[in-house]
Amino acid sequence: MAHWKNFGLFLVAFSVACDSGVVGPGLDDTSDERTDEDLIDITDEDATSDTDNVGGDGLLPGDSDGDAGGGDGAGGDGVGGGDDQPPTDDDPPPPTPVPTTFEAVSVVGQSALAGTPVGEVPEVEVRDQFDAPMAGIAVRFEVLAGGGTIVPTTNVTTDAQGRAKLTSWTLGKSAVPNAVRASLPDHEALGLERFDATVETSYQIEIVFLDPPTDEQRAAFESAAARWMAVIVNDLPNGVFTRDILPESCGGIPGDTTPIPVDDLFIYARVGAIDGVGGTLAQAGPCLGRSAGAGAPAVGVMSFDSADIVSLEQAGLFDETILHEMGHVIGIGTYWDTLIDNPSLPASPGADTVFTGAFAQDAYVSIDGADVPTPVPADNSAVAGSADAHWRESVFTNELMSPSLDFADTSLPLSLVTVASLSDLGFYDANAAAADFFSLAPTLRAPTPEGPRLENWCEVVRPTGVITTP
């Protein structure tokens, strides 16, 4: 940089000389005597003394060090063309971050009891093309299968870590696969994330059709079985039976000694003639109990009058009818003998018939607002096949296990009282969370629509024998 500095000093000296009259170093700048010879001598001398600075490699092309051209000065690393050039308006803007990665960061498979929250809520993460988390991205969570509920139901926005999660996910009330999916509504090309959950239960129901059902009828039976398998969650002793010990009404076949395994409940289902339109719609109950496990139902039957099936399907009540009848097979109303006080059968219509199970009494308090456990009103009609085996219609109206059907009301809730009564039978572990909301309080109870009613429409079947169990 010595050349550049000398050249600068020369320019300053030359400029000062022009402006102040000083024509060279060593002269008295107050002198007024100037001659052409002095000027020539001074100019030649100074110009000659700085030849290395101005001529040759100095001013125009720059010396080998790049002082004036491309070295450390104006054209080198200092000002002109170095590595630390400041941005200009012509430089391209930096790339805008966009969502590039969308993935689950919570577990994607878990289990819980029906009607209860999962242990770990679904959570996802969004990152950009630089693998940095992206905040402020909308994530949509939706229930995909199983009928459960999520909170919130609106979009969730990713936080500073690029993550978004639900507040809660409660499983549905049937023993079917549950699933939630997550997506980015503004970036659908990134696909979906799926979260699965299994309903915990050890209780199994197998259905065998004695008559070929329609697809809709088969689906209704399977749906009812899944519902009760979510309510009853414990395993029962396995067993074996043969059809020759069953009455024909329960699917029995004389002489058929083929062993059939049972785990945990085996049901024969049929659609055939019973008594024509408008009479008994169905007959159901356990046919064989267990020799162990407190005698729990093992084999049952469900029969439906073909003359009434069409009207039930048209009214949207076929599924609820099957659910009701399957309740009798598992023991509701059919295993109540030791739990009923003041039975109306055989001939005491209007008696104060009540169910005395302790679990059901506690549940009854929760739906009727009573201060202390109270025996549960049961059907006191003294009608054979219905009385003492259902809840009292005047109290429970449209509850699933009341004895009448209202064709204008397809909502038949499975109440906590019904679920709790299963625990009173002594061989079931019942899941209270699988119950539907149901209240007898006037301010909470939904109005019951007015319409055609069918009273005492089902008949219960009582067990006639036992299976062999370990």
PDB file of all heavy atoms in Angstrom, residues 164-187:
ATOM      1  N   ALA A 164     -48.633 -29.039  16.713  1.00  0.00           N
ATOM      2  CA  ALA A 164     -50.058 -28.832  17.000  1.00  0.00           C
ATOM      3  C   ALA A 164     -50.627 -30.147  17.520  1.00  0.00           C
ATOM      4  O   ALA A 164     -50.275 -31.223  17.029  1.00  0.00           O
ATOM      5  CB  ALA A 164     -50.806 -28.397  15.744  1.00  0.00           C
ATOM      6  N   LYS A 165     -51.481 -30.062  18.531  1.00  0.00           N
ATOM      7  CA  LYS A 165     -52.057 -31.278  19.099  1.00  0.00           C
ATOM      8  C   LYS A 165     -53.476 -31.012  19.579  1.00  0.00           C
ATOM      9  O   LYS A 165     -53.889 -29.870  19.788  1.00  0.00           O
ATOM     10  CB  LYS A 165     -51.201 -31.810  20.239  1.00  0.00           C
ATOM     11  CG  LYS A 165     -51.121 -30.896  21.456  1.00  0.00           C
ATOM     12  CD  LYS A 165     -50.230 -31.511  22.536  1.00  0.00           C
ATOM     13  CE  LYS A 165     -50.121 -30.602  23.751  1.00  0.00           C
ATOM     14  NZ  LYS A 165     -49.257 -31.212  24.784  1.00  0.00           N
ATOM     15  N   LEU A 166     -54.214 -32.117  19.753  1.00  0.00           N
ATOM     16  CA  LEU A 166     -55.557 -32.038  20.310  1.00  0.00           C
ATOM     17  C   LEU A 166     -55.486 -31.838  21.821  1.00  0.00           C
ATOM     18  O   LEU A 166     -54.485 -32.164  22.465  1.00  0.00           O
ATOM     19  CB  LEU A 166     -56.330 -33.322  20.008  1.00  0.00           C
ATOM     20  CG  LEU A 166     -56.760 -33.547  18.559  1.00  0.00           C
ATOM     21  CD1 LEU A 166     -57.333 -34.950  18.389  1.00  0.00           C
ATOM     22  CD2 LEU A 166     -57.785 -32.506  18.133  1.00  0.00           C
ATOM     23  N   THR A 167     -56.570 -31.309  22.365  1.00  0.00           N
ATOM     24  CA  THR A 167     -56.701 -31.233  23.821  1.00  0.00           C
ATOM     25  C   THR A 167     -57.118 -32.585  24.380  1.00  0.00           C
ATOM     26  O   THR A 167     -56.627 -33.020  25.431  1.00  0.00           O
ATOM     27  CB  THR A 167     -57.734 -30.166  24.203  1.00  0.00           C
ATOM     28  OG1 THR A 167     -57.320 -28.899  23.681  1.00  0.00           O
ATOM     29  CG2 THR A 167     -57.871 -30.062  25.711  1.00  0.00           C
ATOM     30  N   SER A 168     -58.019 -33.288  23.660  1.00  0.00           N
ATOM     31  CA  SER A 168     -58.455 -34.615  24.105  1.00  0.00           C
ATOM     32  C   SER A 168     -59.014 -35.403  22.928  1.00  0.00           C
ATOM     33  O   SER A 168     -59.475 -34.831  21.942  1.00  0.00           O
ATOM     34  CB  SER A 168     -59.520 -34.510  25.205  1.00  0.00           C
ATOM     35  OG  SER A 168     -60.721 -33.957  24.687  1.00  0.00           O
ATOM     36  N   TRP A 169     -58.928 -36.712  23.046  1.00  0.00           N
ATOM     37  CA  TRP A 169     -59.565 -37.648  22.115  1.00  0.00           C
ATOM     38  C   TRP A 169     -60.213 -38.739  22.952  1.00  0.00           C
ATOM     39  O   TRP A 169     -59.541 -39.507  23.625  1.00  0.00           O
ATOM     40  CB  TRP A 169     -58.548 -38.231  21.148  1.00  0.00           C
ATOM     41  CG  TRP A 169     -59.095 -39.286  20.220  1.00  0.00           C
ATOM     42  CD1 TRP A 169     -60.400 -39.496  19.879  1.00  0.00           C
ATOM     43  CD2 TRP A 169     -58.335 -40.282  19.523  1.00  0.00           C
ATOM     44  NE1 TRP A 169     -60.504 -40.551  19.006  1.00  0.00           N
ATOM     45  CE2 TRP A 169     -59.260 -41.046  18.761  1.00  0.00           C
ATOM     46  CE3 TRP A 169     -56.975 -40.582  19.448  1.00  0.00           C
ATOM     47  CZ2 TRP A 169     -58.851 -42.113  17.959  1.00  0.00           C
ATOM     48  CZ3 TRP A 169     -56.568 -41.641  18.645  1.00  0.00           C
ATOM     49  CH2 TRP A 169     -57.500 -42.393  17.911  1.00  0.00           C
ATOM     50  N   THR A 170     -61.549 -38.776  22.938  1.00  0.00           N
ATOM     51  CA  THR A 170     -62.317 -39.776  23.684  1.00  0.00           C
ATOM     52  C   THR A 170     -62.847 -40.816  22.711  1.00  0.00           C
ATOM     53  O   THR A 170     -63.468 -40.473  21.702  1.00  0.00           O
ATOM     54  CB  THR A 170     -63.484 -39.123  24.435  1.00  0.00           C
ATOM     55  OG1 THR A 170     -62.958 -38.146  25.351  1.00  0.00           O
ATOM     56  CG2 THR A 170     -64.275 -40.158  25.218  1.00  0.00           C
ATOM     57  N   LEU A 171     -62.603 -42.079  23.011  1.00  0.00           N
ATOM     58  CA  LEU A 171     -63.011 -43.148  22.103  1.00  0.00           C
ATOM     59  C   LEU A 171     -64.524 -43.304  22.079  1.00  0.00           C
ATOM     60  O   LEU A 171     -65.230 -42.919  23.009  1.00  0.00           O
ATOM     61  CB  LEU A 171     -62.349 -44.466  22.503  1.00  0.00           C
ATOM     62  CG  LEU A 171     -60.822 -44.494  22.521  1.00  0.00           C
ATOM     63  CD1 LEU A 171     -60.319 -45.913  22.732  1.00  0.00           C
ATOM     64  CD2 LEU A 171     -60.249 -43.918  21.234  1.00  0.00           C
ATOM     65  N   GLY A 172     -65.014 -43.888  20.982  1.00  0.00           N
ATOM     66  CA  GLY A 172     -66.433 -44.171  20.852  1.00  0.00           C
ATOM     67  C   GLY A 172     -66.883 -45.265  21.803  1.00  0.00           C
ATOM     68  O   GLY A 172     -66.075 -45.862  22.538  1.00  0.00           O
ATOM     69  N   LYS A 173     -68.158 -45.579  21.778  1.00  0.00           N
ATOM     70  CA  LYS A 173     -68.747 -46.477  22.777  1.00  0.00           C
ATOM     71  C   LYS A 173     -69.053 -47.859  22.225  1.00  0.00           C
ATOM     72  O   LYS A 173     -69.910 -48.575  22.748  1.00  0.00           O
ATOM     73  CB  LYS A 173     -69.999 -45.825  23.367  1.00  0.00           C
ATOM     74  CG  LYS A 173     -69.663 -44.528  24.110  1.00  0.00           C
ATOM     75  CD  LYS A 173     -70.874 -43.863  24.720  1.00  0.00           C
ATOM     76  CE  LYS A 173     -70.457 -42.599  25.476  1.00  0.00           C
ATOM     77  NZ  LYS A 173     -71.600 -41.927  26.116  1.00  0.00           N
ATOM     78  N   SER A 174     -68.338 -48.246  21.182  1.00  0.00           N
ATOM     79  CA  SER A 174     -68.434 -49.592  20.638  1.00  0.00           C
ATOM     80  C   SER A 174     -67.036 -50.166  20.477  1.00  0.00           C
ATOM     81  O   SER A 174     -66.065 -49.419  20.279  1.00  0.00           O
ATOM     82  CB  SER A 174     -69.152 -49.585  19.278  1.00  0.00           C
ATOM     83  OG  SER A 174     -70.520 -49.261  19.423  1.00  0.00           O
ATOM     84  N   ALA A 175     -66.934 -51.483  20.524  1.00  0.00           N
ATOM     85  CA  ALA A 175     -65.640 -52.151  20.386  1.00  0.00           C
ATOM     86  C   ALA A 175     -65.297 -52.306  18.909  1.00  0.00           C
ATOM     87  O   ALA A 175     -65.290 -53.406  18.347  1.00  0.00           O
ATOM     88  CB  ALA A 175     -65.657 -53.496  21.089  1.00  0.00           C
ATOM     89  N   VAL A 176     -65.036 -51.174  18.282  1.00  0.00           N
ATOM     90  CA  VAL A 176     -64.636 -51.129  16.878  1.00  0.00           C
ATOM     91  C   VAL A 176     -63.380 -50.271  16.774  1.00  0.00           C
ATOM     92  O   VAL A 176     -63.082 -49.487  17.686  1.00  0.00           O
ATOM     93  CB  VAL A 176     -65.761 -50.548  15.993  1.00  0.00           C
ATOM     94  CG1 VAL A 176     -66.992 -51.437  16.046  1.00  0.00           C
ATOM     95  CG2 VAL A 176     -66.106 -49.115  16.423  1.00  0.00           C
ATOM     96  N   PRO A 177     -62.628 -50.401  15.680  1.00  0.00           N
ATOM     97  CA  PRO A 177     -61.430 -49.567  15.532  1.00  0.00           C
ATOM     98  C   PRO A 177     -61.772 -48.083  15.538  1.00  0.00           C
ATOM     99  O   PRO A 177     -62.732 -47.644  14.900  1.00  0.00           O
ATOM    100  CB  PRO A 177     -60.862 -50.002  14.177  1.00  0.00           C
ATOM    101  CG  PRO A 177     -61.385 -51.393  13.980  1.00  0.00           C
ATOM    102  CD  PRO A 177     -62.748 -51.399  14.593  1.00  0.00           C
ATOM    103  N   ASN A 178     -60.982 -47.324  16.270  1.00  0.00           N
ATOM    104  CA  ASN A 178     -61.120 -45.868  16.315  1.00  0.00           C
ATOM    105  C   ASN A 178     -59.935 -45.240  15.591  1.00  0.00           C
ATOM    106  O   ASN A 178     -58.812 -45.754  15.654  1.00  0.00           O
ATOM    107  CB  ASN A 178     -61.148 -45.367  17.756  1.00  0.00           C
ATOM    108  CG  ASN A 178     -62.511 -45.517  18.412  1.00  0.00           C
ATOM    109  OD1 ASN A 178     -63.150 -44.541  18.796  1.00  0.00           O
ATOM    110  ND2 ASN A 178     -62.972 -46.756  18.564  1.00  0.00           N
ATOM    111  N   ALA A 179     -60.177 -44.117  14.937  1.00  0.00           N
ATOM    112  CA  ALA A 179     -59.089 -43.448  14.226  1.00  0.00           C
ATOM    113  C   ALA A 179     -59.362 -41.957  14.123  1.00  0.00           C
ATOM    114  O   ALA A 179     -60.512 -41.524  14.001  1.00  0.00           O
ATOM    115  CB  ALA A 179     -58.900 -44.039  12.830  1.00  0.00           C
ATOM    116  N   VAL A 180     -58.278 -41.184  14.177  1.00  0.00           N
ATOM    117  CA  VAL A 180     -58.296 -39.739  13.934  1.00  0.00           C
ATOM    118  C   VAL A 180     -57.254 -39.452  12.868  1.00  0.00           C
ATOM    119  O   VAL A 180     -56.191 -40.077  12.849  1.00  0.00           O
ATOM    120  CB  VAL A 180     -57.968 -38.955  15.228  1.00  0.00           C
ATOM    121  CG1 VAL A 180     -57.584 -37.515  14.913  1.00  0.00           C
ATOM    122  CG2 VAL A 180     -59.163 -38.971  16.169  1.00  0.00           C
ATOM    123  N   ARG A 181     -57.558 -38.542  11.972  1.00  0.00           N
ATOM    124  CA  ARG A 181     -56.567 -38.149  10.978  1.00  0.00           C
ATOM    125  C   ARG A 181     -56.280 -36.657  11.097  1.00  0.00           C
ATOM    126  O   ARG A 181     -57.135 -35.875  11.501  1.00  0.00           O
ATOM    127  CB  ARG A 181     -57.035 -38.477   9.560  1.00  0.00           C
ATOM    128  CG  ARG A 181     -58.206 -37.650   9.057  1.00  0.00           C
ATOM    129  CD  ARG A 181     -58.602 -38.074   7.661  1.00  0.00           C
ATOM    130  NE  ARG A 181     -59.793 -37.370   7.214  1.00  0.00           N
ATOM    131  CZ  ARG A 181     -60.481 -37.706   6.120  1.00  0.00           C
ATOM    132  NH1 ARG A 181     -60.080 -38.735   5.382  1.00  0.00           N
ATOM    133  NH2 ARG A 181     -61.552 -37.026   5.775  1.00  0.00           N
ATOM    134  N   ALA A 182     -55.053 -36.303  10.717  1.00  0.00           N
ATOM    135  CA  ALA A 182     -54.622 -34.907  10.729  1.00  0.00           C
ATOM    136  C   ALA A 182     -54.177 -34.522   9.329  1.00  0.00           C
ATOM    137  O   ALA A 182     -53.580 -35.328   8.609  1.00  0.00           O
ATOM    138  CB  ALA A 182     -53.479 -34.703  11.723  1.00  0.00           C
ATOM    139  N   SER A 183     -54.460 -33.288   8.939  1.00  0.00           N
ATOM    140  CA  SER A 183     -54.082 -32.802   7.623  1.00  0.00           C
ATOM    141  C   SER A 183     -53.805 -31.306   7.703  1.00  0.00           C
ATOM    142  O   SER A 183     -54.145 -30.647   8.688  1.00  0.00           O
ATOM    143  CB  SER A 183     -55.188 -33.081   6.594  1.00  0.00           C
ATOM    144  OG  SER A 183     -56.382 -32.396   6.943  1.00  0.00           O
ATOM    145  N   LEU A 184     -53.175 -30.788   6.661  1.00  0.00           N
ATOM    146  CA  LEU A 184     -52.924 -29.353   6.536  1.00  0.00           C
ATOM    147  C   LEU A 184     -53.864 -28.816   5.463  1.00  0.00           C
ATOM    148  O   LEU A 184     -53.617 -29.028   4.269  1.00  0.00           O
ATOM    149  CB  LEU A 184     -51.467 -29.089   6.163  1.00  0.00           C
ATOM    150  CG  LEU A 184     -50.395 -29.644   7.102  1.00  0.00           C
ATOM    151  CD1 LEU A 184     -49.012 -29.255   6.607  1.00  0.00           C
ATOM    152  CD2 LEU A 184     -50.611 -29.162   8.524  1.00  0.00           C
ATOM    153  N   PRO A 185     -54.935 -28.138   5.842  1.00  0.00           N
ATOM    154  CA  PRO A 185     -55.912 -27.701   4.847  1.00  0.00           C
ATOM    155  C   PRO A 185     -55.348 -26.766   3.790  1.00  0.00           C
ATOM    156  O   PRO A 185     -55.853 -26.715   2.677  1.00  0.00           O
ATOM    157  CB  PRO A 185     -56.999 -27.015   5.691  1.00  0.00           C
ATOM    158  CG  PRO A 185     -56.347 -26.703   7.000  1.00  0.00           C
ATOM    159  CD  PRO A 185     -55.325 -27.762   7.206  1.00  0.00           C
ATOM    160  N   ASP A 186     -54.275 -26.033   4.124  1.00  0.00           N
ATOM    161  CA  ASP A 186     -53.676 -25.107   3.155  1.00  0.00           C
ATOM    162  C   ASP A 186     -52.489 -25.719   2.412  1.00  0.00           C
ATOM    163  O   ASP A 186     -51.898 -25.055   1.552  1.00  0.00           O
ATOM    164  CB  ASP A 186     -53.222 -23.828   3.873  1.00  0.00           C
ATOM    165  CG  ASP A 186     -54.382 -23.092   4.519  1.00  0.00           C
ATOM    166  OD1 ASP A 186     -55.483 -23.111   3.945  1.00  0.00           O
ATOM    167  OD2 ASP A 186     -54.190 -22.513   5.607  1.00  0.00           O
ATOM    168  N   HIS A 187     -52.172 -26.979   2.761  1.00  0.00           N
ATOM    169  CA  HIS A 187     -51.036 -27.636   2.114  1.00  0.00           C
ATOM    170  C   HIS A 187     -51.370 -29.127   1.978  1.00  0.00           C
ATOM    171  O   HIS A 187     -50.675 -29.989   2.520  1.00  0.00           O
ATOM    172  CB  HIS A 187     -49.753 -27.432   2.930  1.00  0.00           C
ATOM    173  CG  HIS A 187     -49.444 -26.003   3.231  1.00  0.00           C
ATOM    174  ND1 HIS A 187     -48.789 -25.176   2.352  1.00  0.00           N
ATOM    175  CD2 HIS A 187     -49.731 -25.232   4.317  1.00  0.00           C
ATOM    176  CE1 HIS A 187     -48.675 -23.970   2.873  1.00  0.00           C
ATOM    177  NE2 HIS A 187     -49.239 -23.973   4.069  1.00  0.00           N
TER     178      HIS A 187
END
